[in-house]
Amino acid sequence: MRKASRLLEIIQIVRLARQPVTAATIAERLEVTVRSIYRDIAALQAMRVPIEGGRGIGYILRPGFDLPPLMFSIEEMEAIVLSLALLERTGDSELKQAAKRVSAKIAGAVPPPLRQVFDANALHAWGFAAPSTGAVDLALMRRAIRDEEKLELSYRDEMGRASERLIRPIALIYYAETANIVAWCELRQAIRNFRSDRIENCQATGLRFKGEGDRLRQVWVSGWETNVAATVV
């Protein structure tokens, strides 16, 4: 185990412990020497992590200390960096801006051993960014999914046929070329997928389908798992 990951594991162990944990106990769990644990704890205390205690007594983390980014391992941080980079390839401008803010917040909060994951700039998500989603605002779509609000769509299918739809949006799937809105279509009385690049107009209705979102997602997932996937209209 690399030192940075070991430091985070030590924080996690003492944070979750209900009583002081000895260096010997920590060393046994992490499969290192007791001397290494003493050095690691001294390093953490030098970084102002409020670990209290001593040799022969055990160590605890002062109550009130809770900084979740410190709990990530190096591999977990790399996963976060790459995931944030992948958001740059979506057509969702609000999520892309949010990804930049998240990256800045985490980089400013994590200790030096992990900050190098951001500073190194060694992980990239290559490929073309998704085009603009046109008439549909994906931020509006995400809010409608969260709030369980019905939407009105002016939609044109792959044959160019126009229709007006009242939908109950339940999920959003991002692809490289477009985004798909999974919804219960009141016109078809079934789950349907709507491509964002075929939506000519999208408006909130103020009408709710409170409490139905989870049930409709279960219907959708059940159909997908049994290869009865919703038709892309």
Side-chain angles (χ1 to χ4, degrees), residues 11 14 41 43-52 61-62 65 70 111:
I11 293 175
V14 296
I41 288 177
L44 288 169
Q45 290 171 332
M47 287 189 277
R48 298 185 179 180
V49 177
I51 294 178
E52 300 177 344
L61 192 63
R62 187 185 305 153
F65 178 82
L70 284 174

Side-chain angles (χ1 to χ4, degrees), residues 63-80:
F65 178 82
D66 190 16
L67 190 58
L70 284 174
M71 300 303 115
F72 296 131
S73 68
I74 293 262
E75 290 75 17
E76 290 166 343
M77 288 295 296
E78 289 175 338
I80 291 171

Side-chain angles (χ1 to χ4, degrees), residues 104-118:
K105 286 179 180 180
I106 295 178
V110 297
L114 290 180
R115 196 171 301 141
Q116 63 185 0
V117 176
F118 283 90

Side-chain angles (χ1 to χ4, degrees), residues 121-192:
N121 196 29
L123 298 177
H124 302 269
W126 205 252
F128 294 103
S132 170
T133 54
V136 62
D137 181 357
L138 294 182
L140 168 66
M141 192 65 64
R142 286 186 281 104
R143 284 193 292 271
I145 293 171
R146 292 195 302 267
D147 297 340
E148 297 184 335
E149 180 179 5
K150 296 181 182 181
L151 298 174
E152 288 182 341
L153 304 183
S154 296
Y155 193 73
R156 195 170 295 276
D157 66 17
E158 60 183 343
M159 302 300 293
R161 295 170 298 203
S163 62
E164 300 296 319
R165 307 292 183 103
L166 182 63
I167 66 169
R168 304 174 192 182
I170 58 173
L172 190 56
I173 306 173
Y174 290 88
Y175 294 100
E177 67 279 5
T178 187
N180 271 14
I181 296 94
V182 182
W184 175 266
C185 176
E186 298 199 355
L187 176 65
R188 303 301 185 197
Q189 287 295 295
I191 299 289
R192 289 291 186 265

